[in-house]
Amino acid sequence: MAKPALILLVNGPNLNLLGTRKPEVYGRTTLSEIEADVAAAANAEGAAVLCFQSNHEGAIIDFLHDQRANAAGAVMNAGAYTHTSVALRDAIEAIEIPVVEVHISNTHRREEFRHRSLIAGACVGQVTGLGKHGYTVATSLLLGILRGRAEGR
Ligand code: CA2
């Protein structure tokens, strides 16, 4: 039997605090619960998930480099690095696997500095403002894109 496709779930700075602070913005669901939801959604479609969270820009970039040969794609909430990190954008371009950008809050309804994503141009798409559901939506989208590519669509 073929090995299931591996997708990466990457979360950036402060997202380890999900469910413990600022529930009015980020909800009450913890990161572990989100990771379990994504794993269940991916497993149901025959894919496996490797989860990673870091508060350090370089650690996220190293993780992407290390996993690029193993993974078919990634779902990523880069947190505040979304708005600041050219290095992360370059890493997403460099790994040449499709990455779907996710945000829990609707970044366009928030402060001006959150309206611009430096990584968006390197990602295949963006899901923003759907709360925790954005992660499973992004996972399904990514798996659909991967299936389409495998079938030459
Ligand atoms: O809405 C999102 O998912 C964000 O990526 C979250 C980032 C923010 O900088 C982006 O503009 C939008 C911040 C994550 C902070 O996470 C916390 C979780 C719990 C308590 C405090 C912060």
Side-chain angles (χ1 to χ4, degrees):
M1 201 163 64
K3 232 169 101 184
L6 177 69
I7 63 168
L8 309 175
L9 172 60
V10 181
N11 279 282
N14 299 306
L15 289 158
N16 53 310
L17 298 179
L18 283 176
T20 67
R21 308 259 196 295
K22 287 197 156 249
E24 70 286 3
V25 183
Y26 299 117
R28 296 192 183 278
T29 307
T30 65
L31 182 57
S32 302
E33 289 166 340
I34 286 171
E35 289 173 343
D37 286 351
V38 167
N43 293 168
E45 297 197 45
V49 179
L50 180 61
C51 299
F52 181 77
Q53 187 278 331
S54 178
N55 296 320
H56 305 277
E57 189 175 15
I60 296 170
I61 293 169
D62 285 344
F63 177 78
L64 294 174
H65 290 181
D66 291 347
Q67 294 301 326
R68 66 174 281 276
N70 305 324
V75 169
M76 181 183 304
N77 185 346
Y81 291 145
T82 303
H83 317 297
T84 63
S85 181
V86 175
L88 185 55
R89 181 203 174 102
D90 288 346
I92 293 168
E93 270 176 0
I95 60 175
E96 293 182 333
I97 59 173
V99 176
V100 179
E101 175 183 358
V102 181
H103 298 289
I104 296 167
S105 62
N106 183 342
T107 50
H108 300 288
R109 295 182 75 170
R110 301 184 65 192
E111 303 94 324
E112 186 91 30
F113 66 84
R114 296 188 203 274
H115 296 183
R116 187 175 68 151
S117 166
L118 294 187
I119 67 169
C123 292
V124 288
Q126 189 189 56
V127 177
T128 187
L130 301 184
K132 66 174 183 176
H133 306 294
Y135 284 92
T136 47
V137 168
T139 302
S140 290
L141 289 171
L142 176 63
L143 292 172
I145 289 166
L146 292 171
R147 258 194 312 274
R149 288 186 182 186
E151 291 164 10
R153 282 187 273 127

